[in-house]
Amino acid sequence: MIVIIDYNMGNVASVKNMIKKIGYEAIVSNDISIIKKATKLILPGVGSFDHGVKSLKELKLFDVIKEKILLESTPILGICLGMQLLTKGSEEGELGGLGLIDGFTKRFSKQILEKNLKIPHMGWNFIKSENETLLLSDMELNSRFYFVHSYHVVCENPMNSTAITHYGYDFTCMIEKENVYGVQFHPEKSHKFGMKIIKNFLELVKCTEVE
């Protein structure tokens, strides 16, 4: 069962519609009993880091998500803010994240401003593979994706960064650690390229064994 976590922080309908186009059905829910039954989880998100953490905790989903990922090896895909929430924390706020990826979310450097680039990073951009990942299986060359963000993830372990994008400097735009996946861009707004990412997550990603 594919469950899109609804914590009032993103356009979950767009993600659900793309999944339907691929040929699958997904449930949008913040019901703990439904989330506990999920075989795949998707955590989208738009907005501030602390607000996202607070919303998950108010709905009593924060610990449920961690249990599903760490104890049951349920695959999860974080999208935009959802990816950032997978980290330990963010310069945007004071609350701790889910901590499923060893890394931290940081604001774009002043180096970008010096190059007359605006923050947020908004619009279409290309990605470059860094480490092997199932999410990029059979992906077209020069695939481009839609971004809207002012913060990006910095991984402690370089192997957890599976793709980068250049905006003033290179930054991580895709992360992976065992059954935890994240994309900084919006696949649901990225047409055929985004559809391929979600299709690969749904069809290629399997549960990993947790020792």
Side-chain angles (χ1 to χ4, degrees):
M1 180 168 63
I2 304 163
V3 177
I4 302 167
I5 301 171
D6 182 10
Y7 59 116
N8 303 313
M9 293 292 292
N11 187 3
V12 293
S14 294
V15 179
K16 182 178 181 179
N17 289 338
M18 178 164 277
I19 290 174
K20 189 172 183 178
K21 287 181 181 179
I22 297 169
Y24 292 86
E25 291 295 330
I27 297 173
V28 175
S29 181
N30 55 29
D31 186 308
I32 293 174
S33 63
I34 291 177
I35 291 173
K36 283 185 174 182
K37 295 176 183 177
T39 54
K40 292 275 175 71
L41 288 170
I42 297 178
L43 182 67
V46 175
S48 69
F49 191 92
D50 278 6
H51 190 189
V53 173
K54 288 178 182 178
S55 294
L56 289 175
K57 289 187 173 182
E58 287 171 359
L59 292 166
K60 302 188 185 304
L61 299 179
F62 192 86
D63 291 333
V64 172
I65 293 171
K66 294 186 72 170
E67 289 173 6
K68 286 288 292 180
I69 307 314
L70 298 176
L71 301 182
E72 298 181 27
S73 303
T74 305
I76 186 170
L77 174 64
I79 297 174
C80 197
L81 174 63
M83 167 173 154
Q84 296 173 6
L85 291 172
L86 300 176
T87 68
K88 295 177 179 178
S90 173
E91 288 183 344
E92 186 180 18
E94 300 177 351
L95 299 179
L98 290 162
L100 299 171
I101 285 281
D102 296 324
F104 201 75
T105 302
K106 297 187 177 183
R107 184 171 174 83
F108 273 113
S109 164
K110 290 182 179 179
Q111 178 182 353
I112 286 184
L113 297 178
E114 292 169 358
K115 295 182 179 181
N116 297 317
L117 295 175
K118 295 180 179 179
I119 298 175
H121 168 216
M122 182 182 299
W124 294 88
N125 208 337
F126 298 97
I127 71 172
K128 179 182 178 182
S129 176
E130 272 205 310
N131 293 298
E132 187 175 351
T133 174
L134 291 173
L135 294 190
L136 293 178
S137 295
D138 298 321
M139 185 64 67
E140 293 181 29
L141 293 176
N142 297 319
S143 298
R144 62 193 187 114
F145 300 88
Y146 190 79
F147 290 82
V148 183
H149 62 119
S150 300
Y151 295 79
H152 61 86
V153 170
V154 177
C155 294
E156 294 176 10
N157 182 350
M159 294 304 294
N160 292 151
S161 175
T162 54
I164 57 175
T165 292
H166 187 85
Y167 189 69
Y169 54 87
D170 291 340
F171 68 90
T172 294
C173 65
M174 293 181 65
I175 56 175
E176 178 180 334
K177 182 184 178 183
E178 297 172 346
N179 52 316
V180 178
Y181 297 79
V183 294
Q184 184 57 66
F185 48 83
H186 288 273
E188 76 280 9
K189 296 181 180 179
S190 300
H191 307 316
K192 64 178 182 178
F193 305 115
M195 187 177 294
K196 181 62 175 173
I197 292 280
I198 293 180
K199 189 173 190 289
N200 284 344
F201 175 71
L202 298 180
E203 296 184 353
L204 301 181
V205 172
K206 309 297 181 184
C207 288
T208 56
E209 295 294 330
V210 175
E211 298 180 358

